[in-house]
Amino acid sequence: MRAVVEGLGSPYSLADLLPAVYQEDPFTVGLSAGWDEVLAPLISTLDCLSAYLDPQLAPEDFLGWLADRLGTQLDEKWPLDRKRAVTAHALTGHRVRGTVAGTCERIALATGGRVELFDSGGVVTSRTPGAVFPADGPSAVLVRVTIDDDRNAAPVDLEALMQECVPAHVPYRTEVVRP
């Protein structure tokens, strides 16, 4: 992931931290300069750690690792701004995961389209004791994704996304609508 970057200097030279007797020895100064080059990416990363943990600022090659730690998957085919948006939404998305609103948000972020979700229900309540409940019908979900502009639409595996969002016991259908 992070590696030696050509020309990246260290703000903290190890030679400057050595006692004066070692600062006069060319071998010791050269050895510490080699360590400065090896440690420069680590020091740079630690100095900018808050930026690495912010999905809007994290380097592109670090974003996949960050998304994985936040419990979401990114598709390599997605544009960078979509990857950042999905990663930034990961924590709040876990709170509403499996709900209609959470499913719509997640699919909209991944596809870049407008999402309509039609749920047949499955939960019935009544305030009247002994009320007659409606006949049992199979619960099912229909997800309609409307993509207005194909240029903004990201390629997405809608089947895998639905399996991630919809509870496992609920059958679903998907429709993709293009103008």
Side-chain angles (χ1 to χ4, degrees):
M1 198 153 319
R2 302 281 95 191
V4 176
V5 178
E6 290 294 325
L8 180 66
S10 176
Y12 315 107
S13 173
L14 293 178
D16 294 341
L17 302 174
L18 293 174
V21 69
Y22 291 118
Q23 289 180 359
E24 296 170 0
D25 181 21
F27 174 76
T28 307
V29 171
L31 183 65
S32 66
W35 280 108
D36 286 343
E37 188 174 334
V38 170
L39 294 176
L42 176 65
I43 292 170
S44 175
T45 300
L46 290 176
D47 283 348
C48 303
L49 188 60
S50 61
Y52 276 80
L53 300 177
D54 183 349
Q56 301 303 328
L57 301 175
E60 187 173 358
D61 64 334
F62 193 78
L63 199 57
W65 181 89
L66 183 59
D68 190 47
R69 295 304 165 273
L70 293 174
T72 192
Q73 276 76 40
L74 301 179
D75 192 331
E76 292 179 9
K77 299 175 210 151
W78 290 349
L80 181 60
D81 60 336
R82 178 129 324 124
K83 290 179 185 177
R84 291 189 187 283
V86 168
T87 305
H89 179 264
L91 288 180
T92 57
H94 286 306
R95 187 176 32 221
V96 292
R97 187 174 183 178
T99 65
V100 172
T103 301
C104 288
E105 284 179 37
R106 177 70 171 103
I107 294 171
L109 276 171
T111 61
R114 284 190 329 268
V115 178
E116 296 173 281
L117 191 140
F118 304 98
D119 186 6
S120 66
V123 176
V124 177
T125 61
S126 174
R127 292 180 183 231
T128 308
V132 178
F133 292 108
D136 288 339
S139 58
V141 172
L142 168 65
V143 176
R144 183 176 298 136
V145 181
T146 305
I147 299 175
D148 294 329
D149 186 3
D150 281 340
R151 291 173 293 177
N152 292 336
V156 65
D157 183 0
L158 195 54
E159 186 68 25
L161 190 59
M162 290 299 296
Q163 288 176 2
E164 177 186 330
C165 295
V166 177
H169 66 282
V170 177
Y172 60 86
R173 277 185 320 129
T174 58
E175 293 178 1
V176 178
V177 180
R178 287 178 166 60

